[in-house]
Amino acid sequence: MSDQTQTEKENLVMEHLVSLTYRERLTPNLNRFVDELLEGRLVGHKCPSCGRVYLPSKGYCPMCVVATSAEDEVEVPDTGTVTGFTIVTPVAYYGQQETEPFVFASVLLDGADTPLNGQDVTGLPHDQLRTGLRVKAKWKPKDQRSAEGISNRGWGSMGTVVDSFEATGEPDASEELFKDHIF
Amino acid sequence: MNERCAIVGVGQTHFKKRRDDVSIAGLLREAIDRALADAELTLRDIDAVVIGKAPDAFEGIVMPEIFLADAVGATNKPLLRVHTAGSVGGSTLVVGAHHVITGIHGTVLTVAWEKQSEGNAQWGLAGGRSGGIGAGGAFAPWMRAYIQQSGAPDYIGWMVAVKDRRNAAKNPYAHLKMPDITLEKVKESPMLWDPIRFHESCPSSDGACAAIVTNEEGAKRAPRPPAWIHGLSVRSELGQFPGRNPVRPQAGVECAHDVYRQAGITDPRSQIDMAELYVPFSWYEPMWLEGHDIAGPGEGWKMVDTGETDLGGAFPVNPSGGVLSTNAIGASGMVRFAEAAQQVRGLAGEHQVDGVRTALAQAYGGAAQYFAMGVLRNTPPE
């Protein structure tokens, strides 16, 4: 067929670059999470039925299928455990700013039941990164924090508020403690 | 009403990094024309069209099924769009077949495609923002978890890559053909998303796949052997919830059990002759062998290690070269069904497995949360 008989002739191509900048309102639940995050507090919802803690909360517990609200708010500490990770080599797609391999880790905060995905982990070389590693949030100074990068379709983004999770040097957590909350 | 249903025509385009020689419409029509020629039908014989592709952001065209309606022969006919991320090609065929099985239509054209060179999938998945990790980055932690849980040696991933690229060299439609690939070459290729190396990853392809599904009368009229559908199932689950096991997603377990039950399969490893599984990254071959209960826990990698999944093995997986060799994302799921169909029809050519009577087709997508599976045979259901 046609692809088998491709001619030498160059196809005519017209370059036409379009840029679109847009603003998006965060959902009320995410908005509330970000307000607290900017103040240095990590706030989620505790399901009134099963007690699982979701952070950030989407306003419901998917296990019990019940709505959660401001009445169910709980604060969790900024310490946690690495439950899964990879090292990503950037492919340099349009708009990507990373140029060097970077960490993409899931961090389960103490007292939460779902991890924050896509976190940077610092304080140790990449080849020593492991599940079970204990970490603590490294906060940006208050005047440098913003919600930039946090989206309704986010992947656990902490905006420019938490730079990374830094290894604490504590003994690793036992897998038994986090095995049902890895992803 | 439960009509018997069969695939009587399949068509694939040649898959390449860029298909600059055709428009999107031309690409789809190339696959459709081949499927019609295979079934010796024309567009006049088609009652309805089901079209599938992965996220619209990959080409930057919103709801492309609308401008494609004429090109796919849907003028004044029912047209349905399916979107279930990477599994969409499989789901599209299932949706088309359900219209036949329920007696709503006699003959349905299903077509699935992606023209990735017109956009950038990594950009699309990242929503245009920095920090994107691609599908490989999302799946890598789960492959790490599989390796840790199963104790599989590193070289299992390299073996899958070598097998699939060598198989692809026998498939005229495949994108990456690497007959000379070796374990050394895979091992020495750059690490992309630890533990996945460059040669253990799928390419970005342009291409389309079409399949014509029809009822028993249509199958009787078919000029070539039909591939009879004995089981079809789709299942999905949330991408994240406490207790989720993304290494062995429950939706994948239940989808497999559902098609096995429909097809009367109690021991998939001995009762299925070959499988086309959606393996975009090498480690997904052993993960799906276990995740669909073809192999027991920790046994999937041993099937790879002993050569059981080779083209000449006892349970060949991806004789076509699979997604690892050809990945126009939206098309990939339907290619699994089309290749399984060709195997039971005895029309797979150089990568034909001897004596296939029962074949398994599987596609998955999203955060390993959408599944579409089918069991095909060379004989009609009883």
Side-chain angles (χ1 to χ4, degrees), chain A residues 3 85-86 89 93 97 180 183, chain B residues 21 129-130 132 142 192 194 243:
Chain A
D3 56 307
F85 68 92
T86 182
T89 307
Y93 62 81
Q97 284 150 26
D180 284 336
F183 305 104
Chain B
D21 58 318
R129 296 188 301 270
S130 191
W142 308 338
L192 294 187
D194 192 3

Side-chain angles (χ1 to χ4, degrees), chain A residues 1-4 11 52 54 62-63 85-89 91 93-98 104 115 117 151 180 183, chain B residues 14 19-21 30 34 122-123 126 129-133 137 140 142 144 191-194 238 240 242-243 246:
Chain A
M1 285 220 170
S2 49
D3 56 307
Q4 298 296 296
N11 291 310
R52 289 185 179 93
Y54 298 92
M63 308 305 283
F85 68 92
T86 182
I87 313 287
V88 179
T89 307
V91 295
Y93 62 81
Y94 184 78
Q96 189 175 37
Q97 284 150 26
E98 294 84 3
F104 184 88
N117 295 329
S151 136
D180 284 336
F183 305 104
Chain B
H14 288 274
R19 283 294 308 269
D20 277 340
D21 58 318
E30 189 177 312
R34 284 199 175 108
Q122 298 259 31
W123 183 91
R129 296 188 301 270
S130 191
I133 54 164
W142 308 338
R144 294 187 62 89
M191 187 67 89
L192 294 187
W193 305 275
D194 192 3
L238 286 175
Q240 190 184 43

Side-chain angles (χ1 to χ4, degrees), chain A residues 146-157:
Chain A
S146 82
E148 195 186 328
I150 295 180
S151 136
N152 292 327
R153 292 168 305 285
W155 301 75
S157 171

Side-chain angles (χ1 to χ4, degrees), chain A residues 88-157:
Chain A
V88 179
T89 307
V91 295
Y93 62 81
Y94 184 78
Q96 189 175 37
Q97 284 150 26
E98 294 84 3
T99 54
E100 296 303 313
F102 64 94
V103 175
F104 184 88
S106 298
V107 172
L108 181 68
L109 295 171
D110 297 333
D113 286 282
T114 49
L116 295 163
N117 295 329
Q119 304 304 318
D120 189 13
V121 177
T122 50
L124 81 177
H126 284 180
D127 64 3
Q128 287 177 32
L129 198 55
R130 58 194 182 269
T131 57
L133 183 77
R134 294 286 300 160
V135 292
K136 183 174 169 52
K138 209 172 144 185
W139 298 83
K140 260 214 163 63
K142 266 196 180 175
D143 58 348
Q144 292 172 31
R145 295 175 190 172
S146 82
E148 195 186 328
I150 295 180
S151 136
N152 292 327
R153 292 168 305 285
W155 301 75
S157 171

Side-chain angles (χ1 to χ4, degrees), chain B residues 146 150-153 155-156 283 286-287 289-290 295 298-306:
Chain B
Y146 172 77
S150 68
Y155 64 78
I156 296 298
W283 283 98
M287 284 165 75
L289 288 170
E290 294 178 33
E299 296 294 319
W301 67 265
K302 291 174 189 164
M303 286 178 71
V304 177
D305 201 16
T306 57

